[in-house]
Amino acid sequence: MKTMDINVNQLYLALWAVCAVGLGVHGQPLRQLPTQPACIELCLTAHEGCFECVKILSQERFSAPRKMSLPFHKAHPSLPDPETRLRHHHFLDRPPWVPGSANESHTPGDGKVMAEGKVHSNCPAMRARTGAPAITIKMPYSVRFHRSGLIEVDCHWVPGGRTHAVMIEHPVDSPWIRLPESHLQIFTVGDSRADVWIANSGIYVDDAEYMASPNANAGDKGGSFGNKWMVLPIPHKLKTRVDRGWRIEQGILSSFQRTSRNANIPLQLNFTAIDPTEAYIEILKGTPMMQYVAAVLPEISLKESAMPKPLEDYLVMLSEMHGGGDIRQLGGRDDGAFDVMRSYQLKENPGYVQPHIQKKKERAAKRGSATSKTDL
């Protein structure tokens, strides 16, 4: 046992991450650590550590801080702030296309929600995705991408306002645009059609704390496992007529240090998705665009094995609970099953207004500060 200069708090956090990863839903260990509790206890209490213990915690087990508070900077004070939470919505009692449904209207913060595209957000897993800690990035300005190749940006940070216009001639190889009186850029990488753009959000994130985690590699260009940032679209949001002409490309970022701390927006345009009479695709300032989700990704391999009998018995139990039978016994005589489950949603959603969800202003008044959640 060699004495090592180890920060006890950091080791405790690393140990907590190991325990969180190593325990299943019922507290059963997924894999035994080849260390004794006495060894861990010495590391935590007596500032003593052994090589094997530290090696496992720092190299074989991916880990990350339990909580992070990352600094960010803005290119201009008038840019919309990033946020770390989305407001989860329950769906309404009837979707708007069902006969008898009233005309639905919705504005953010009114206690109502759009039914279409929200149904899956009632699943616990979908609701957990909504609540996942993430950096939600909004469009920093209003922009119009024209079919003709014209790009117009409303530069709200310029005194008096200004619309900056650039004409893209097709084909074009990797155009790069810097907006006036700003460090904000819009560019493409190896694209000749100019329909895949990367736009600076004007938000610069310092993720040094996250990159200090074991196995994080800020310079891992194109790497797909370890401590990463998942580049994802806004969850549970169905495209409407206004925004169906664009979408967010998904990706994996090793670190914001690789992009000069820029929280970039990978934008894919699709003019075939809009009406032929519409001359441009417009995205308004403040539109929630995408999320950066911190994720620790292990290397994964799969191998097929026979279904365990307890799992098979459980699936049969579900079938019988809903009026079906045991397919192992019925064989070709099995006709499936149908059941109507009584959902709490109908009790909590008698109409369009959801009284159990406080309005945005009411929540802010109770807390004494503005909400930190993006209301879609």
Side-chain angles (χ1 to χ4, degrees), residues 51-63:
F51 177 79
E52 286 301 320
C53 175
V54 175
K55 178 182 176 182
I56 291 171
L57 293 179
S58 64
Q59 296 183 10
E60 295 184 14
R61 294 279 180 155
F62 289 147
S63 62

Side-chain angles (χ1 to χ4, degrees), residues 145 147 193-197 243-247 267-275 278 280-281:
F145 295 92
R147 293 180 185 271
R193 299 188 306 171
D195 61 355
V196 180
W197 292 90
D243 57 9
R244 66 174 181 262
W246 61 269
R247 66 183 177 92
L267 192 60
Q268 168 75 64
L269 305 178
N270 185 8
F271 283 98
T272 62
I274 65 175
D275 193 282
E278 297 182 35
Y280 55 81
I281 296 171

